[in-house]
Amino acid sequence: NAGVTQTPKFRVLKTGQSMTLLCAQDMNHEYMYWYRQDPGMGLRLIHYSVGEGTTAKGEVPDGYNVSRLKKQNFLLGLESAAPSQTSVYFCASSYGTGATDTQYFGPGTRLTVL
Amino acid sequence: GQQLNQSPQSMFIQEGEDVSMNCTSSSIFNTWLWYKQDPGEGPVLLIALYKAGELTSNGRLTAQFGITRKDSFLNISASIPSDVGIYFCAGSGRPGGAQKLVFGQGTRLTINP
């Protein structure tokens, strides 16, 4: 099992450019999550999905879109990147079995927007 | 939104020392989690707490879910070099369904050999 993988690992964008971050999991997890991590602020939830074809907003969804067309993949899109979106992005997944559910995190994507 | 206050922000200790860090919240949580993050990696779950007053150990790590459900602490005994990293607390308000976790700011642990 590879667990949770993220593509790419690093990316530099210019303001206004678009890009898609890919998250893949091979654990047959129902739930998937996208977080961003900024210095001194811990991780904050952007969007999440409770199953194929579903998405929902998290704490900081503005400027991002997501899609879950396949159960194993969760895509995070930036339509028009801004310097404020410079951050490290983490994807996580979980079985979705209730209160004792455990989220497993990917290795992260470091994004810089110039 | 909800916020967790984690302290201290950083710690510099000698190998073999015990470590203590804590998290407080203005809101009640039903689940408290403690994660460790190594450089260039995602967070890894260390301990999960699901009941107020619960005390749980994982090797040299011990964590407690506060009685008020608004705080939690993590202790590491007899620290070793591989304990170096950033430790995060996280809370979840929902007893089931998608765990929309709220994270603390992290405690960066540095160990002098």
Side-chain angles (χ1 to χ4, degrees), chain A residues 33 37 40 42 90 99 101 103 106, chain B residues 37 42 45 50 88 95 98-99 104-105:
Chain A
Y33 309 79
Q37 183 178 32
F90 288 99
D101 203 24
Q103 292 185 26
Chain B
Q37 185 177 27
L45 183 65
Y50 302 109
F88 290 97
Q99 276 195 351
Q105 307 96 319

Side-chain angles (χ1 to χ4, degrees), chain B residues 55-101:
Chain B
L55 184 71
T56 297
S57 293
N58 178 9
R60 293 178 295 105
L61 279 62
T62 302
Q64 184 157 29
F65 191 144
I67 286 290
T68 64
R69 293 199 277 162
K70 292 184 178 181
D71 62 340
S72 177
F73 72 75
L74 175 70
N75 286 342
I76 306 173
S77 62
S79 58
I80 59 178
S82 62
D83 291 334
V84 166
I86 303 177
Y87 292 79
F88 290 97
C89 62
S92 173
R94 294 188 61 181
Q99 276 195 351
K100 291 187 281 185
L101 298 179

Side-chain angles (χ1 to χ4, degrees), chain A residues 31 33 35 37 40-45 48 50 57-59 90 96-108 110, chain B residues 1-3 31 33 35 37 40-45 48 50 86 88 94-106:
Chain A
Y31 293 1
Y33 309 79
Y35 294 87
Q37 183 178 32
M41 297 193 72
L43 283 78
R44 291 181 292 168
L45 184 64
Y48 65 99
V50 299
K57 294 180 180 180
E59 182 185 354
F90 288 99
T97 52
T100 59
D101 203 24
T102 298
Q103 292 185 26
Y104 296 87
F105 285 81
R110 185 174 295 274
Chain B
Q2 291 177 309
Q3 293 214 343
T31 300
L33 307 169
Y35 285 86
Q37 185 177 27
E41 302 289 333
V44 174
L45 183 65
Y50 302 109
I86 303 177
F88 290 97
R94 294 188 61 181
Q99 276 195 351
K100 291 187 281 185
L101 298 179
V102 178
F103 281 81
Q105 307 96 319

Side-chain angles (χ1 to χ4, degrees), chain A residues 20-84:
Chain A
T20 300
L21 281 65
L22 171 63
C23 176
Q25 52 92 7
D26 61 1
M27 297 176 281
N28 201 33
H29 284 172
E30 286 294 330
Y31 293 1
M32 297 186 75
Y33 309 79
W34 274 108
Y35 294 87
R36 59 176 288 172
Q37 183 178 32
D38 301 299
M41 297 193 72
L43 283 78
R44 291 181 292 168
L45 184 64
I46 304 171
H47 285 281
Y48 65 99
S49 167
V50 299
E52 183 178 318
T54 73
T55 63
K57 294 180 180 180
E59 182 185 354
V60 288
D62 293 343
Y64 305 96
N65 56 75
V66 288
S67 64
R68 183 101 181 266
L69 300 179
K70 294 183 179 180
K71 185 177 182 178
Q72 63 268 35
N73 296 338
F74 195 28
L75 279 61
L76 178 71
L78 285 74
E79 289 187 351
S80 179
S84 60

